[in-house]
Amino acid sequence: MEKQDKTSFESQRVIGKLYRGVKNIGPSTANIKSFTKEVAMQSYDIDMEVDGFMDCIKCAFKYKTIYDNRLGNLMDYYGIKTEAEILSGCITEMAKSFDKKRDLDHKASTFAVRSLRKEVRAWFNEKKNELDFSHGDAYAKAST
Protein backbone atom coordinates (compact mmCIF):
# COMPACT_ATOMS: atom_id res chain seq x y z
CA MET A 1 0.00 0.00 0.00
CA GLU A 2 1.39 3.32 -1.16
CA LYS A 3 4.80 2.10 -2.23
CA GLN A 4 6.56 5.05 -3.79
CA ASP A 5 8.18 3.15 -6.65
CA LYS A 6 5.09 1.10 -7.62
CA THR A 7 1.80 2.02 -9.23
CA SER A 8 -1.16 1.70 -6.89
CA PHE A 9 -4.93 2.01 -6.82
CA GLU A 10 -7.48 2.86 -4.18
CA SER A 11 -8.89 -0.40 -2.86
CA GLN A 12 -12.57 -0.42 -1.95
CA ARG A 13 -12.27 -3.54 0.19
CA VAL A 14 -12.21 -3.59 3.98
CA ILE A 15 -8.42 -3.47 4.36
CA GLY A 16 -8.15 -0.54 1.94
CA LYS A 17 -10.83 1.39 3.83
CA LEU A 18 -9.16 0.68 7.16
CA TYR A 19 -5.77 1.71 5.78
CA ARG A 20 -7.08 5.03 4.47
CA GLY A 21 -8.88 5.61 7.76
CA VAL A 22 -5.75 5.27 9.88
CA LYS A 23 -2.84 6.22 7.60
CA ASN A 24 -2.72 9.83 8.81
CA ILE A 25 -3.12 8.89 12.45
CA GLY A 26 0.43 8.65 13.76
CA PRO A 27 1.95 8.54 17.18
CA SER A 28 1.30 11.85 18.81
CA THR A 29 4.43 13.56 20.00
CA ALA A 30 2.43 16.39 21.55
CA ASN A 31 1.47 14.32 24.59
CA ILE A 32 5.07 13.39 25.43
CA LYS A 33 5.97 15.12 28.67
CA SER A 34 9.40 16.48 29.45
CA PHE A 35 11.51 14.60 31.94
CA THR A 36 11.78 17.07 34.79
CA LYS A 37 13.23 16.83 38.29
CA GLU A 38 9.72 16.41 39.70
CA VAL A 39 9.04 13.48 37.36
CA ALA A 40 12.39 11.93 38.27
CA MET A 41 11.72 12.26 42.00
CA GLN A 42 8.51 10.23 41.65
CA SER A 43 10.53 7.16 40.66
CA TYR A 44 13.72 7.86 42.64
CA ASP A 45 14.60 5.15 45.14
CA ILE A 46 16.73 6.38 48.03
CA ASP A 47 17.46 2.77 49.04
CA MET A 48 19.59 2.44 45.86
CA GLU A 49 22.03 5.11 47.03
CA VAL A 50 25.48 3.96 48.16
CA ASP A 51 27.96 5.88 50.27
CA GLY A 52 30.25 7.93 48.05
CA PHE A 53 27.91 8.15 45.03
CA MET A 54 27.95 11.95 45.17
CA ASP A 55 31.65 11.90 44.20
CA CYS A 56 30.66 10.45 40.81
CA ILE A 57 27.76 12.79 39.98
CA LYS A 58 29.85 15.37 38.10
CA CYS A 59 31.46 12.72 35.88
CA ALA A 60 28.12 10.96 35.29
CA PHE A 61 26.46 14.25 34.31
CA LYS A 62 29.27 15.00 31.85
CA TYR A 63 28.94 11.60 30.18
CA LYS A 64 25.14 11.81 30.14
CA THR A 65 25.32 15.20 28.43
CA ILE A 66 27.69 13.86 25.75
CA TYR A 67 25.48 10.80 25.24
CA ASP A 68 22.32 12.93 24.93
CA ASN A 69 24.05 15.20 22.42
CA ARG A 70 25.21 12.31 20.24
CA LEU A 71 21.85 10.55 20.43
CA GLY A 72 20.13 13.81 19.46
CA ASN A 73 22.48 14.17 16.50
CA LEU A 74 21.60 10.65 15.33
CA MET A 75 17.89 11.44 15.67
CA ASP A 76 18.32 14.62 13.62
CA TYR A 77 20.40 12.84 10.97
CA TYR A 78 17.87 10.05 10.45
CA GLY A 79 14.84 12.33 10.94
CA ILE A 80 13.53 10.31 13.88
CA LYS A 81 11.25 12.20 16.23
CA THR A 82 11.38 10.29 19.51
CA GLU A 83 14.06 8.65 21.59
CA ALA A 84 11.87 5.58 22.01
CA GLU A 85 11.82 5.02 18.24
CA ILE A 86 15.57 5.21 17.77
CA LEU A 87 16.42 3.09 20.83
CA SER A 88 13.87 0.37 20.06
CA GLY A 89 14.49 0.34 16.31
CA CYS A 90 10.73 0.58 15.68
CA ILE A 91 10.86 3.68 13.50
CA THR A 92 7.50 4.90 12.22
CA GLU A 93 8.78 7.60 9.89
CA MET A 94 12.22 8.62 8.66
CA ALA A 95 13.38 11.76 6.91
CA LYS A 96 12.40 12.08 3.25
CA SER A 97 16.05 11.90 2.20
CA PHE A 98 16.17 8.28 3.41
CA ASP A 99 13.03 7.07 1.64
CA LYS A 100 14.87 5.12 -1.04
CA LYS A 101 16.19 1.69 -0.17
CA ARG A 102 19.59 2.36 -1.68
CA ASP A 103 20.12 5.36 0.58
CA LEU A 104 19.44 3.69 3.90
CA ASP A 105 18.88 0.22 5.08
CA HIS A 106 16.66 0.29 8.20
CA LYS A 107 19.44 -1.40 10.11
CA ALA A 108 21.80 1.57 9.69
CA SER A 109 20.13 3.62 12.43
CA THR A 110 19.99 0.57 14.71
CA PHE A 111 23.68 -0.06 14.07
CA ALA A 112 24.51 3.59 14.85
CA VAL A 113 22.68 3.38 18.19
CA ARG A 114 24.36 0.08 19.04
CA SER A 115 27.71 1.66 18.24
CA LEU A 116 26.93 4.62 20.50
CA ARG A 117 25.99 2.27 23.35
CA LYS A 118 29.30 0.40 23.00
CA GLU A 119 31.19 3.68 23.04
CA VAL A 120 29.42 4.85 26.20
CA ARG A 121 29.99 1.50 27.89
CA ALA A 122 33.70 1.86 27.05
CA TRP A 123 33.73 5.29 28.76
CA PHE A 124 32.37 3.73 31.93
CA ASN A 125 34.85 0.83 31.87
CA GLU A 126 37.78 3.13 31.04
CA LYS A 127 36.96 5.44 33.93
CA LYS A 128 36.52 2.48 36.26
CA ASN A 129 39.97 1.12 35.35
CA GLU A 130 41.55 4.58 35.49
CA LEU A 131 40.37 5.28 39.03
CA ASP A 132 40.93 1.73 40.28
CA PHE A 133 37.76 1.73 42.37
CA SER A 134 37.60 -0.34 45.48
CA HIS A 135 34.58 -2.64 45.74
CA GLY A 136 32.42 -0.02 47.50
CA ASP A 137 33.39 2.77 45.12
CA ALA A 138 32.33 0.68 42.10
CA TYR A 139 28.87 0.40 43.63
CA ALA A 140 28.84 4.17 44.21
CA LYS A 141 29.63 4.78 40.55
CA ALA A 142 26.97 2.31 39.40
CA SER A 143 24.32 3.99 41.55
CA THR A 144 24.73 7.39 39.84
Side-chain angles (χ1 to χ4, degrees):
M1 293 183 189
E2 281 195 35
K3 294 181 181 168
Q4 302 297 335
D5 57 340
K6 308 261 184 206
T7 57
S8 64
F9 67 97
E10 190 173 301
S11 173
Q12 298 304 316
R13 294 182 179 234
V14 174
I15 296 294
K17 290 177 183 178
L18 283 172
Y19 174 75
R20 285 189 302 281
V22 299
K23 78 175 185 178
N24 293 328
I25 300 173
S28 175
T29 56
N31 63 0
I32 297 174
K33 297 178 182 171
S34 295
F35 189 71
T36 62
K37 187 172 183 174
E38 291 77 29
V39 173
M41 292 307 291
Q42 291 174 357
S43 59
Y44 187 77
D45 187 2
I46 295 173
D47 294 335
M48 296 298 292
E49 289 181 2
V50 176
D51 291 336
F53 84 98
M54 289 300 288
D55 299 335
C56 301
I57 294 288
K58 186 176 180 181
C59 180
F61 184 76
K62 177 182 119 186
Y63 286 147
K64 173 72 167 114
T65 303
I66 294 169
Y67 170 78
D68 286 344
N69 187 14
R70 292 192 181 173
L71 188 66
N73 288 342
L74 286 175
M75 290 170 62
D76 289 343
Y77 179 75
Y78 290 110
I80 299 171
K81 293 182 177 114
T82 65
E83 185 177 0
E85 285 180 309
I86 196 164
L87 292 178
S88 69
C90 299
I91 301 163
T92 56
E93 187 177 329
M94 290 188 116
K96 299 261 188 233
S97 59
F98 293 113
D99 281 345
K100 295 181 181 175
K101 254 187 183 177
R102 66 178 172 79
D103 287 341
L104 174 74
D105 184 12
H106 169 65
K107 295 178 184 175
S109 62
T110 306
F111 180 75
V113 170
R114 188 177 305 141
S115 195
L116 177 61
R117 284 181 183 161
K118 284 182 181 178
E119 182 182 356
V120 171
R121 192 173 294 123
W123 296 343
F124 180 80
N125 291 333
E126 179 183 305
K127 192 70 172 174
K128 181 179 79 170
N129 294 338
E130 180 183 302
L131 295 177
D132 192 29
F133 283 120
S134 67
H135 189 65
D137 288 340
Y139 285 127
K141 184 155 181 89
S143 72
T144 56

